[in-house]
Amino acid sequence: MPRVHAGLAATRAGGASALPLLLLLVGLWPAPLARARPPPGPDPLRRGWQRLLAEGEACGPCRPGECATPRGCRAGRVRDACGCCWECANLEGQLCDLDPGAHFYGRCGEQLECRLDAGDALSRGEVPEPRCVCRTQRPLCGSDGRTYAQICRLREAARARPDANLTAAHPGPCESEPQILSQPHDVWHVTGQDVMFGCEVFAYPMASIEWRKDGLDIQLPGDDPHISVQFRGGPQRFEVTSWLQIQAVRPSDEGAYRCLAQNALGQVEALAALTVLTPEQLNSTGTPQQPSLDLAPEEEAGSEEGEDYY
């Protein structure tokens, strides 16, 4: 404590050097509690204090030759608060300064802007904070044949791999043959129970999905009233999900079921086996009841779009 009092006394007498010393004392305070979802990269609060300590109270003469060269700036470079040296811009999702005159968290990179989305944060039970957001959310196709969610993601990838000479090939996603993202699983059930198979597919142009059994060319459900098929777009863009439901399953339903997805570029399929047991067979084998692994519509509808589909 005597050192702190001595420091405060020196601060009062220091005049122009007061701010750096005060900021140094603030750095001794206990660190704030960690957030539930910390932003990517270094701690923005520490980065902000370090920036203020380095810059001091005011901007001195600009000497570009003395500026350090920033490296690995995936969001591009921006000028510092004094408009003299270059520094790395903030990436999408990082904290930023809503006030253009402030320079604590830093400035957003190219094609990014600082926004405060209070509604989205409150829905997750978090304190709203301004973050860098891409100005456009339109997907585009890169010269590497991959689809990027928006221009900011493509430019970030291009700066991370400068030797790849990555550019935008055209607006919209890259054309792709179907890819099965979630395939049906093998299940077994006792007669009289309901069965559900699910199949989730990504493709551009969007794919059509068919269900068949045991390699037959008859498309389900056919004219069988206890079999039904459902379709829904999503859960992500350019995806489609389909379910095959068998009500009150019976021994004749046993077999292999095939999810067949196709578009103009190709087709792909996935198989799942259904085993049907009668109550007598179940009692004789002593097989314990197992949960079904099939994909239910209500479970899929409640999933969040947390991951990129690209």
Tab-separated table of all heavy atoms in Angstrom, residues 237-284:
chain	number	residue	atom	x	y	z
A	237	ARG	N	-28.938	-23.205	-45.402
A	237	ARG	CA	-29.227	-22.898	-46.800
A	237	ARG	C	-28.662	-23.975	-47.728
A	237	ARG	O	-27.608	-24.540	-47.465
A	237	ARG	CB	-28.644	-21.533	-47.172
A	237	ARG	CG	-29.440	-20.364	-46.631
A	237	ARG	CD	-28.785	-19.057	-46.987
A	237	ARG	NE	-27.512	-18.901	-46.304
A	237	ARG	CZ	-26.724	-17.838	-46.443
A	237	ARG	NH1	-27.068	-16.862	-47.265
A	237	ARG	NH2	-25.585	-17.756	-45.772
A	238	PHE	N	-29.398	-24.237	-48.816
A	238	PHE	CA	-29.011	-25.216	-49.835
A	238	PHE	C	-28.981	-26.634	-49.274
A	238	PHE	O	-28.317	-27.505	-49.815
A	238	PHE	CB	-27.662	-24.861	-50.475
A	238	PHE	CG	-27.540	-23.414	-50.835
A	238	PHE	CD1	-26.600	-22.611	-50.219
A	238	PHE	CD2	-28.387	-22.840	-51.764
A	238	PHE	CE1	-26.498	-21.259	-50.532
A	238	PHE	CE2	-28.292	-21.497	-52.085
A	238	PHE	CZ	-27.354	-20.715	-51.460
A	239	GLU	N	-29.709	-26.857	-48.204
A	239	GLU	CA	-29.850	-28.200	-47.659
A	239	GLU	C	-31.315	-28.611	-47.703
A	239	GLU	O	-32.209	-27.766	-47.693
A	239	GLU	CB	-29.359	-28.270	-46.212
A	239	GLU	CG	-27.864	-28.103	-46.052
A	239	GLU	CD	-27.430	-28.201	-44.603
A	239	GLU	OE1	-28.273	-28.533	-43.741
A	239	GLU	OE2	-26.250	-27.927	-44.341
A	240	VAL	N	-31.548	-29.902	-47.734
A	240	VAL	CA	-32.907	-30.448	-47.669
A	240	VAL	C	-32.848	-31.681	-46.766
A	240	VAL	O	-31.863	-32.433	-46.795
A	240	VAL	CB	-33.443	-30.808	-49.078
A	240	VAL	CG1	-32.568	-31.836	-49.756
A	240	VAL	CG2	-34.884	-31.277	-49.003
A	241	THR	N	-33.869	-31.836	-45.946
A	241	THR	CA	-33.950	-32.962	-45.023
A	241	THR	C	-35.222	-33.744	-45.296
A	241	THR	O	-36.279	-33.149	-45.544
A	241	THR	CB	-33.937	-32.476	-43.562
A	241	THR	OG1	-32.765	-31.681	-43.340
A	241	THR	CG2	-33.924	-33.652	-42.593
A	242	SER	N	-35.104	-35.064	-45.285
A	242	SER	CA	-36.257	-35.920	-45.530
A	242	SER	C	-36.335	-36.992	-44.453
A	242	SER	O	-35.297	-37.425	-43.912
A	242	SER	CB	-36.146	-36.583	-46.910
A	242	SER	OG	-37.245	-37.444	-47.145
A	243	TRP	N	-37.573	-37.410	-44.134
A	243	TRP	CA	-37.809	-38.463	-43.151
A	243	TRP	C	-38.713	-39.534	-43.762
A	243	TRP	O	-39.675	-39.221	-44.450
A	243	TRP	CB	-38.483	-37.914	-41.891
A	243	TRP	CG	-37.668	-36.872	-41.187
A	243	TRP	CD1	-36.717	-37.077	-40.234
A	243	TRP	CD2	-37.737	-35.451	-41.369
A	243	TRP	NE1	-36.194	-35.884	-39.809
A	243	TRP	CE2	-36.798	-34.867	-40.496
A	243	TRP	CE3	-38.507	-34.621	-42.191
A	243	TRP	CZ2	-36.604	-33.491	-40.420
A	243	TRP	CZ3	-38.311	-33.257	-42.124
A	243	TRP	CH2	-37.372	-32.711	-41.245
A	244	LEU	N	-38.386	-40.761	-43.469
A	244	LEU	CA	-39.226	-41.906	-43.821
A	244	LEU	C	-39.801	-42.473	-42.524
A	244	LEU	O	-39.041	-42.844	-41.614
A	244	LEU	CB	-38.405	-42.976	-44.545
A	244	LEU	CG	-39.121	-44.298	-44.804
A	244	LEU	CD1	-40.198	-44.125	-45.866
A	244	LEU	CD2	-38.135	-45.381	-45.222
A	245	GLN	N	-41.119	-42.506	-42.424
A	245	GLN	CA	-41.775	-42.998	-41.216
A	245	GLN	C	-42.569	-44.254	-41.525
A	245	GLN	O	-43.317	-44.309	-42.506
A	245	GLN	CB	-42.697	-41.937	-40.619
A	245	GLN	CG	-43.354	-42.369	-39.315
A	245	GLN	CD	-44.239	-41.292	-38.720
A	245	GLN	OE1	-44.633	-40.356	-39.408
A	245	GLN	NE2	-44.558	-41.426	-37.438
A	246	ILE	N	-42.394	-45.258	-40.672
A	246	ILE	CA	-43.154	-46.514	-40.773
A	246	ILE	C	-43.946	-46.648	-39.482
A	246	ILE	O	-43.362	-46.755	-38.396
A	246	ILE	CB	-42.231	-47.719	-40.969
A	246	ILE	CG1	-41.303	-47.506	-42.179
A	246	ILE	CG2	-43.041	-48.992	-41.149
A	246	ILE	CD1	-40.284	-48.610	-42.363
A	247	GLN	N	-45.259	-46.630	-39.584
A	247	GLN	CA	-46.117	-46.746	-38.412
A	247	GLN	C	-46.465	-48.209	-38.142
A	247	GLN	O	-46.713	-48.982	-39.075
A	247	GLN	CB	-47.398	-45.932	-38.608
A	247	GLN	CG	-47.148	-44.429	-38.730
A	247	GLN	CD	-48.426	-43.652	-38.954
A	247	GLN	OE1	-49.346	-44.134	-39.609
A	247	GLN	NE2	-48.497	-42.442	-38.398
A	248	ALA	N	-46.512	-48.548	-36.852
A	248	ALA	CA	-46.866	-49.913	-36.429
A	248	ALA	C	-46.099	-50.949	-37.246
A	248	ALA	O	-46.665	-51.723	-38.023
A	248	ALA	CB	-48.375	-50.135	-36.549
A	249	VAL	N	-44.787	-50.928	-37.081
A	249	VAL	CA	-43.907	-51.762	-37.885
A	249	VAL	C	-44.271	-53.241	-37.718
A	249	VAL	O	-44.694	-53.689	-36.648
A	249	VAL	CB	-42.433	-51.496	-37.489
A	249	VAL	CG1	-42.145	-51.968	-36.070
A	249	VAL	CG2	-41.487	-52.167	-38.457
A	250	ARG	N	-44.098	-53.995	-38.803
A	250	ARG	CA	-44.418	-55.421	-38.814
A	250	ARG	C	-43.247	-56.183	-39.430
A	250	ARG	O	-42.373	-55.567	-40.076
A	250	ARG	CB	-45.708	-55.670	-39.582
A	250	ARG	CG	-45.787	-55.000	-40.923
A	250	ARG	CD	-47.228	-54.827	-41.351
A	250	ARG	NE	-47.361	-54.221	-42.668
A	250	ARG	CZ	-48.442	-53.588	-43.067
A	250	ARG	NH1	-49.481	-53.467	-42.249
A	250	ARG	NH2	-48.529	-53.075	-44.280
A	251	PRO	N	-43.204	-57.498	-39.276
A	251	PRO	CA	-42.049	-58.269	-39.773
A	251	PRO	C	-41.759	-58.054	-41.246
A	251	PRO	O	-40.588	-58.092	-41.658
A	251	PRO	CB	-42.439	-59.717	-39.478
A	251	PRO	CG	-43.359	-59.633	-38.297
A	251	PRO	CD	-44.133	-58.360	-38.501
A	252	SER	N	-42.776	-57.832	-42.064
A	252	SER	CA	-42.540	-57.646	-43.495
A	252	SER	C	-41.802	-56.345	-43.806
A	252	SER	O	-41.295	-56.168	-44.924
A	252	SER	CB	-43.874	-57.678	-44.251
A	252	SER	OG	-44.744	-56.646	-43.795
A	253	ASP	N	-41.747	-55.428	-42.837
A	253	ASP	CA	-41.037	-54.169	-43.052
A	253	ASP	C	-39.528	-54.318	-42.875
A	253	ASP	O	-38.766	-53.396	-43.204
A	253	ASP	CB	-41.535	-53.094	-42.079
A	253	ASP	CG	-42.987	-52.718	-42.326
A	253	ASP	OD1	-43.368	-52.650	-43.508
A	253	ASP	OD2	-43.731	-52.499	-41.353
A	254	GLU	N	-39.085	-55.436	-42.356
A	254	GLU	CA	-37.653	-55.627	-42.123
A	254	GLU	C	-36.888	-55.588	-43.444
A	254	GLU	O	-37.355	-56.072	-44.480
A	254	GLU	CB	-37.413	-56.955	-41.418
A	254	GLU	CG	-35.968	-57.193	-41.021
A	254	GLU	CD	-35.807	-58.423	-40.141
A	254	GLU	OE1	-36.053	-58.322	-38.928
A	254	GLU	OE2	-35.468	-59.493	-40.693
A	255	GLY	N	-35.703	-54.985	-43.409
A	255	GLY	CA	-34.885	-54.900	-44.611
A	255	GLY	C	-33.997	-53.666	-44.599
A	255	GLY	O	-33.867	-52.962	-43.587
A	256	ALA	N	-33.366	-53.397	-45.739
A	256	ALA	CA	-32.474	-52.247	-45.899
A	256	ALA	C	-33.214	-51.127	-46.617
A	256	ALA	O	-33.848	-51.355	-47.660
A	256	ALA	CB	-31.226	-52.654	-46.671
A	257	TYR	N	-33.108	-49.922	-46.084
A	257	TYR	CA	-33.755	-48.743	-46.675
A	257	TYR	C	-32.678	-47.785	-47.171
A	257	TYR	O	-31.647	-47.596	-46.513
A	257	TYR	CB	-34.664	-48.072	-45.649
A	257	TYR	CG	-35.903	-48.892	-45.346
A	257	TYR	CD1	-35.858	-49.934	-44.417
A	257	TYR	CD2	-37.098	-48.648	-46.010
A	257	TYR	CE1	-36.980	-50.714	-44.150
A	257	TYR	CE2	-38.228	-49.416	-45.744
A	257	TYR	CZ	-38.162	-50.442	-44.814
A	257	TYR	OH	-39.277	-51.198	-44.553
A	258	ARG	N	-32.952	-47.199	-48.315
A	258	ARG	CA	-31.944	-46.403	-49.006
A	258	ARG	C	-32.426	-44.976	-49.198
A	258	ARG	O	-33.524	-44.733	-49.718
A	258	ARG	CB	-31.648	-47.051	-50.360
A	258	ARG	CG	-30.616	-46.347	-51.221
A	258	ARG	CD	-30.084	-47.295	-52.295
A	258	ARG	NE	-31.134	-48.043	-52.953
A	258	ARG	CZ	-31.434	-47.927	-54.259
A	258	ARG	NH1	-30.767	-47.075	-55.012
A	258	ARG	NH2	-32.387	-48.638	-54.795
A	259	CYS	N	-31.591	-44.022	-48.767
A	259	CYS	CA	-31.824	-42.600	-49.042
A	259	CYS	C	-31.016	-42.239	-50.284
A	259	CYS	O	-29.788	-42.327	-50.287
A	259	CYS	CB	-31.391	-41.753	-47.841
A	259	CYS	SG	-31.299	-39.971	-48.178
A	260	LEU	N	-31.681	-41.832	-51.347
A	260	LEU	CA	-31.044	-41.515	-52.627
A	260	LEU	C	-31.233	-40.027	-52.919
A	260	LEU	O	-32.357	-39.556	-53.067
A	260	LEU	CB	-31.639	-42.354	-53.748
A	260	LEU	CG	-31.171	-42.053	-55.175
A	260	LEU	CD1	-29.684	-42.343	-55.324
A	260	LEU	CD2	-31.971	-42.857	-56.183
A	261	ALA	N	-30.120	-39.273	-52.969
A	261	ALA	CA	-30.155	-37.829	-53.250
A	261	ALA	C	-29.469	-37.573	-54.585
A	261	ALA	O	-28.390	-38.111	-54.854
A	261	ALA	CB	-29.459	-37.049	-52.138
A	262	GLN	N	-30.073	-36.716	-55.424
A	262	GLN	CA	-29.484	-36.450	-56.724
A	262	GLN	C	-29.844	-35.050	-57.213
A	262	GLN	O	-30.869	-34.484	-56.858
A	262	GLN	CB	-29.954	-37.494	-57.739
A	262	GLN	CG	-31.466	-37.612	-57.876
A	262	GLN	CD	-31.872	-38.760	-58.771
A	262	GLN	OE1	-31.052	-39.290	-59.536
A	262	GLN	NE2	-33.139	-39.162	-58.694
A	263	ASN	N	-28.936	-34.492	-58.021
A	263	ASN	CA	-29.198	-33.270	-58.771
A	263	ASN	C	-28.543	-33.421	-60.136
A	263	ASN	O	-28.133	-34.523	-60.517
A	263	ASN	CB	-28.700	-32.029	-58.017
A	263	ASN	CG	-27.188	-31.988	-57.869
A	263	ASN	OD1	-26.468	-32.869	-58.344
A	263	ASN	ND2	-26.689	-30.960	-57.193
A	264	ALA	N	-28.424	-32.320	-60.877
A	264	ALA	CA	-27.907	-32.413	-62.250
A	264	ALA	C	-26.437	-32.822	-62.300
A	264	ALA	O	-25.949	-33.257	-63.342
A	264	ALA	CB	-28.091	-31.067	-62.949
A	265	LEU	N	-25.713	-32.716	-61.164
A	265	LEU	CA	-24.277	-32.998	-61.152
A	265	LEU	C	-23.940	-34.402	-60.694
A	265	LEU	O	-22.814	-34.863	-60.876
A	265	LEU	CB	-23.550	-31.977	-60.267
A	265	LEU	CG	-23.717	-30.511	-60.674
A	265	LEU	CD1	-23.004	-29.611	-59.691
A	265	LEU	CD2	-23.182	-30.287	-62.089
A	266	GLY	N	-24.884	-35.092	-60.071
A	266	GLY	CA	-24.579	-36.444	-59.615
A	266	GLY	C	-25.569	-36.916	-58.566
A	266	GLY	O	-26.578	-36.255	-58.291
A	267	GLN	N	-25.284	-38.053	-57.989
A	267	GLN	CA	-26.153	-38.613	-56.973
A	267	GLN	C	-25.322	-39.339	-55.921
A	267	GLN	O	-24.175	-39.724	-56.162
A	267	GLN	CB	-27.190	-39.562	-57.571
A	267	GLN	CG	-26.614	-40.858	-58.134
A	267	GLN	CD	-27.702	-41.783	-58.667
A	267	GLN	OE1	-28.751	-41.333	-59.126
A	267	GLN	NE2	-27.457	-43.087	-58.600
A	268	VAL	N	-25.932	-39.511	-54.743
A	268	VAL	CA	-25.279	-40.192	-53.637
A	268	VAL	C	-26.362	-40.906	-52.842
A	268	VAL	O	-27.531	-40.502	-52.871
A	268	VAL	CB	-24.493	-39.194	-52.751
A	268	VAL	CG1	-25.434	-38.208	-52.075
A	268	VAL	CG2	-23.629	-39.921	-51.736
A	269	GLU	N	-26.010	-41.983	-52.162
A	269	GLU	CA	-27.003	-42.718	-51.392
A	269	GLU	C	-26.416	-43.199	-50.079
A	269	GLU	O	-25.193	-43.290	-49.911
A	269	GLU	CB	-27.549	-43.900	-52.194
A	269	GLU	CG	-26.519	-44.966	-52.514
A	269	GLU	CD	-27.110	-46.119	-53.301
A	269	GLU	OE1	-27.960	-45.877	-54.180
A	269	GLU	OE2	-26.704	-47.277	-53.019
A	270	ALA	N	-27.308	-43.495	-49.137
A	270	ALA	CA	-26.917	-44.035	-47.838
A	270	ALA	C	-27.924	-45.109	-47.443
A	270	ALA	O	-29.126	-44.960	-47.685
A	270	ALA	CB	-26.866	-42.932	-46.783
A	271	LEU	N	-27.420	-46.203	-46.846
A	271	LEU	CA	-28.262	-47.338	-46.479
A	271	LEU	C	-28.409	-47.435	-44.966
A	271	LEU	O	-27.507	-47.063	-44.213
A	271	LEU	CB	-27.664	-48.638	-47.006
A	271	LEU	CG	-27.688	-48.866	-48.520
A	271	LEU	CD1	-26.873	-50.103	-48.879
A	271	LEU	CD2	-29.118	-49.010	-49.011
A	272	ALA	N	-29.572	-47.940	-44.535
A	272	ALA	CA	-29.822	-48.224	-43.123
A	272	ALA	C	-30.679	-49.473	-43.026
A	272	ALA	O	-31.626	-49.647	-43.803
A	272	ALA	CB	-30.509	-47.049	-42.439
A	273	ALA	N	-30.338	-50.342	-42.090
A	273	ALA	CA	-31.045	-51.620	-41.944
A	273	ALA	C	-32.062	-51.533	-40.811
A	273	ALA	O	-31.790	-50.959	-39.750
A	273	ALA	CB	-30.053	-52.738	-41.668
A	274	LEU	N	-33.232	-52.100	-41.042
A	274	LEU	CA	-34.278	-52.196	-40.031
A	274	LEU	C	-34.457	-53.669	-39.660
A	274	LEU	O	-34.722	-54.509	-40.524
A	274	LEU	CB	-35.594	-51.624	-40.557
A	274	LEU	CG	-36.835	-51.866	-39.681
A	274	LEU	CD1	-36.681	-51.210	-38.315
A	274	LEU	CD2	-38.093	-51.377	-40.394
A	275	THR	N	-34.315	-53.960	-38.379
A	275	THR	CA	-34.549	-55.306	-37.857
A	275	THR	C	-35.817	-55.269	-37.017
A	275	THR	O	-35.953	-54.415	-36.123
A	275	THR	CB	-33.367	-55.771	-36.999
A	275	THR	OG1	-32.169	-55.750	-37.781
A	275	THR	CG2	-33.601	-57.180	-36.478
A	276	VAL	N	-36.745	-56.180	-37.294
A	276	VAL	CA	-38.031	-56.213	-36.595
A	276	VAL	C	-38.108	-57.490	-35.775
A	276	VAL	O	-37.879	-58.592	-36.286
A	276	VAL	CB	-39.207	-56.144	-37.593
A	276	VAL	CG1	-40.535	-56.177	-36.829
A	276	VAL	CG2	-39.108	-54.885	-38.446
A	277	LEU	N	-38.411	-57.345	-34.495
A	277	LEU	CA	-38.545	-58.476	-33.586
A	277	LEU	C	-39.982	-58.560	-33.074
A	277	LEU	O	-40.607	-57.535	-32.801
A	277	LEU	CB	-37.597	-58.327	-32.389
A	277	LEU	CG	-36.095	-58.260	-32.681
A	277	LEU	CD1	-35.330	-58.022	-31.395
A	277	LEU	CD2	-35.614	-59.529	-33.370
A	278	THR	N	-40.464	-59.772	-32.933
A	278	THR	CA	-41.769	-59.972	-32.298
A	278	THR	C	-41.560	-60.015	-30.783
A	278	THR	O	-40.434	-60.251	-30.310
A	278	THR	CB	-42.400	-61.283	-32.771
A	278	THR	OG1	-41.573	-62.375	-32.338
A	278	THR	CG2	-42.521	-61.302	-34.296
A	279	PRO	N	-42.601	-59.776	-29.985
A	279	PRO	CA	-42.436	-59.872	-28.521
A	279	PRO	C	-41.901	-61.226	-28.083
A	279	PRO	O	-41.112	-61.309	-27.131
A	279	PRO	CB	-43.852	-59.619	-28.003
A	279	PRO	CG	-44.497	-58.792	-29.073
A	279	PRO	CD	-43.938	-59.309	-30.359
A	280	GLU	N	-42.294	-62.312	-28.758
A	280	GLU	CA	-41.802	-63.638	-28.404
A	280	GLU	C	-40.291	-63.742	-28.636
A	280	GLU	O	-39.541	-64.286	-27.819
A	280	GLU	CB	-42.517	-64.717	-29.222
A	280	GLU	CG	-44.005	-64.871	-28.891
A	280	GLU	CD	-44.849	-63.753	-29.503
A	280	GLU	OE1	-44.320	-63.047	-30.401
A	280	GLU	OE2	-46.004	-63.589	-29.081
A	281	GLN	N	-39.818	-63.196	-29.776
A	281	GLN	CA	-38.377	-63.209	-30.058
A	281	GLN	C	-37.611	-62.381	-29.039
A	281	GLN	O	-36.521	-62.750	-28.608
A	281	GLN	CB	-38.113	-62.685	-31.464
A	281	GLN	CG	-38.592	-63.615	-32.571
A	281	GLN	CD	-38.429	-62.993	-33.946
A	281	GLN	OE1	-38.680	-61.795	-34.127
A	281	GLN	NE2	-38.013	-63.796	-34.913
A	282	LEU	N	-38.188	-61.247	-28.658
A	282	LEU	CA	-37.515	-60.390	-27.693
A	282	LEU	C	-37.375	-61.081	-26.350
A	282	LEU	O	-36.325	-61.013	-25.700
A	282	LEU	CB	-38.295	-59.079	-27.534
A	282	LEU	CG	-37.663	-58.020	-26.639
A	282	LEU	CD1	-36.349	-57.531	-27.237
A	282	LEU	CD2	-38.607	-56.834	-26.451
A	283	ASN	N	-38.426	-61.780	-25.916
A	283	ASN	CA	-38.384	-62.476	-24.630
A	283	ASN	C	-37.433	-63.665	-24.664
A	283	ASN	O	-36.766	-63.974	-23.672
A	283	ASN	CB	-39.783	-62.947	-24.237
A	283	ASN	CG	-40.723	-61.782	-23.957
A	283	ASN	OD1	-40.269	-60.714	-23.561
A	283	ASN	ND2	-42.029	-61.999	-24.162
A	284	SER	N	-37.366	-64.329	-25.807
A	284	SER	CA	-36.506	-65.513	-25.898
A	284	SER	C	-35.035	-65.159	-25.942
A	284	SER	O	-34.186	-65.886	-25.433
A	284	SER	CB	-36.872	-66.342	-27.127
A	284	SER	OG	-36.634	-65.595	-28.312
